Amino acid sequence: MTGKLRTGKLGRLLLARRGGASWHWTDVASYAYLALGVLLMFGPVLWLALSSFKTPAALLEFPPSLLPMAQSEVSVQGYPQPLPLFRVTMEDGSVRELAQVRRVGIVAQMVDPAAPGQTIRVPADRRTPVRHMALAVENYTDPLTQFDFLRFLRNSLVVTVVATIITLIINSMAAYALSVYEFRGKSVAMLGVIGTLMIPITIILAPVYLVVTKLGFVDSLWAVILPGAATPTGVFLLRQYMLTIPRDLIEAARMDKASEWRIYARIVMPLSMPALAVLAIFSVMWRWNEFLWPLAVLTKTEVHTLPIALNAFQGELQTQWHYLLAMTVVTLLPVALVFAFLQRFITSGIANTGMK
């Protein structure tokens, strides 16, 4: 019953009109605009996912195909290796499926798989490859087994999860102090937090690297986790949301002899879950896709994260696109899952924080 109800609501949403029984031109324009937006947003992702299952030869084809297609091959008696299969237009206009033995210039030597004793010479422009849909699953299995991508995936998961937890704790503490407490210099402190948003990472890269080196964190995952634990964006976002929490709740808790830590953990944090979810999504995206800073502080292969490992497939003379595309899809999956799980908090979280 619930499934039918949801299907009915979805149908009404997809077929909603401006009013009346007939379609208005604005309805058509709206749906065309929405369809164009969906195509622009999800078209490249669909192309990436389908291309990740293509063989290296299929990726170099022109014009390219949307689906992962491969050349059909057939085993022919007298030939040790399977031969590529072609659809050939003969001189009398008939069409036959022949296997290609070799090609010399513009002439291809073909044989009939059913009667391979006779060689047939065919102009190359009269043959069309026989293709079938084939998924190159080895694009995923080879990097995960041969190139130790599971270790890089584990490193990225550790960095992302630990860094996100630390970011939520530190930023929420700072936001709680800036939103609840009244003290001298509060406006200056908030101005300093916002001002750091204008400082690009390239300016502070060298000083932070020197600090990390002095602490002995180079070639350690802590070198990637700790430097960006406190983010001005997170402090600003959480502070704006905590300002909407009624002060009467906090004052009532204080009158009941609740400590500040208890107020922070039992009242402010649960009420700030929408904003925390938004910050968690941002933190996962930042840490999961971070490339420049891990590249600077992680020199040992065993501590590389996924973005650095993906860079290994790009050589000076050759790029292994089939592996690169497949592992790019793998890197997109965790972020997509986190976004799908927490997306219901995004609207309320951003709407109540003043973020644009």
Side-chain angles (χ1 to χ4, degrees):
M1 184 66 180
T2 305
K4 293 182 179 179
L5 182 62
R6 290 180 179 177
T7 304
K9 290 183 178 181
L10 180 61
R12 289 194 298 270
L13 176 63
L14 296 178
L15 299 177
R17 294 191 293 273
R18 185 169 180 263
S22 61
W23 286 79
H24 193 266
W25 71 269
T26 56
D27 300 326
V28 179
S30 299
Y31 279 105
Y33 176 76
L34 292 175
L36 178 61
V38 171
L39 180 63
L40 293 177
M41 287 189 296
F42 295 102
V45 179
L46 178 62
W47 183 275
L48 170 66
L50 293 175
S51 298
S52 66
F53 288 100
K54 293 182 179 180
T55 61
L59 289 172
L60 297 177
E61 288 181 349
F62 186 84
S65 61
L66 178 63
L67 298 177
M69 308 295 291
Q71 171 78 57
S72 298
E73 295 182 340
V74 61
S75 298
V76 181
Q77 184 178 2
Y79 296 90
Q81 300 293 333
L83 300 178
L85 192 62
F86 288 85
R87 188 173 289 108
V88 180
T89 303
M90 308 304 292
E91 293 182 356
D92 58 358
S94 62
V95 179
R96 299 174 59 184
E97 287 190 358
L98 303 177
Q100 177 176 286
V101 178
R102 66 179 61 88
R103 175 180 174 179
V104 181
I106 61 174
V107 178
Q109 297 181 4
M110 320 284 289
V111 295
D112 190 342
Q118 181 183 3
T119 302
I120 305 173
R121 298 169 62 87
V122 177
D125 57 353
R126 291 188 180 180
R127 59 191 179 85
T128 304
V130 177
R131 299 162 60 83
H132 65 282
M133 186 173 177
L135 302 179
V137 184
E138 61 273 11
N139 293 349
Y140 288 87
T141 58
D142 289 350
L144 294 176
T145 56
Q146 300 179 13
F147 298 100
D148 206 11
F149 245 75
L150 288 176
R151 172 180 293 181
F152 305 141
L153 179 62
R154 183 177 66 251
N155 292 340
S156 288
L157 286 175
V158 171
V159 169
T160 302
V161 172
V162 176
T164 299
I165 294 175
I166 296 177
T167 297
L168 293 178
I169 294 175
I170 293 179
N171 289 358
S172 61
M173 289 181 180
Y176 176 74
L178 292 173
S179 61
V180 175
Y181 294 155
E182 296 295 336
F183 55 90
R184 182 178 299 177
K186 177 180 177 180
S187 300
V188 177
M190 192 61 203
L191 183 63
V193 170
I194 298 176
T196 55
L197 290 172
M198 297 181 291
I199 302 177
I201 187 174
T202 52
I203 293 180
I204 63 174
L205 190 64
V208 175
Y209 181 82
L210 293 177
V211 173
V212 170
T213 303
K214 292 293 184 180
L215 294 175
F217 286 160
V218 176
D219 287 331
S220 170
L221 294 181
W222 289 109
V224 184
I225 295 173
L226 294 179
T231 60
T233 303
V235 174
F236 176 75
L237 188 150
L238 293 178
R239 174 186 178 271
Q240 294 300 107
Y241 192 91
M242 289 180 182
L243 289 175
T244 64
I245 299 177
R247 294 295 296 270
D248 294 342
L249 290 175
I250 299 176
E251 296 298 333
R254 288 173 177 169
M255 293 178 63
D256 291 337
K257 307 300 181 180
S259 64
E260 293 299 322
W261 286 107
R262 191 176 183 85
I263 295 173
Y264 163 77
R266 301 295 296 273
I267 297 178
V268 177
M269 291 294 281
L271 292 177
S272 302
M273 282 303 297
L276 290 172
V278 174
L279 179 58
I281 293 176
F282 288 164
S283 179
V284 168
M285 293 176 60
W286 295 334
R287 301 308 185 124
W288 189 262
N289 298 319
E290 194 174 18
F291 175 75
L292 180 59
W293 178 246
L295 183 65
V297 296
L298 302 179
T299 59
K300 294 182 179 179
T301 305
E302 55 267 21
V303 293
H304 281 177
T305 55
L306 275 177
I308 304 177
L310 286 176
N311 189 55
F313 291 127
Q314 297 182 353
E316 183 177 355
L317 302 176
Q318 183 181 8
T319 299
Q320 296 173 297
W321 289 110
H322 54 303
Y323 291 151
L324 184 61
L325 294 175
M327 292 300 100
T328 301
V329 173
V330 173
T331 61
L332 290 177
L333 290 178
V335 178
L337 292 176
V338 171
F339 182 83
F341 180 72
L342 299 177
Q343 57 87 22
R344 63 191 181 95
F345 295 107
I346 293 178
T347 303
S348 60
I350 294 180
N352 292 320
T353 55
M355 295 285 290
K356 299 295 183 181

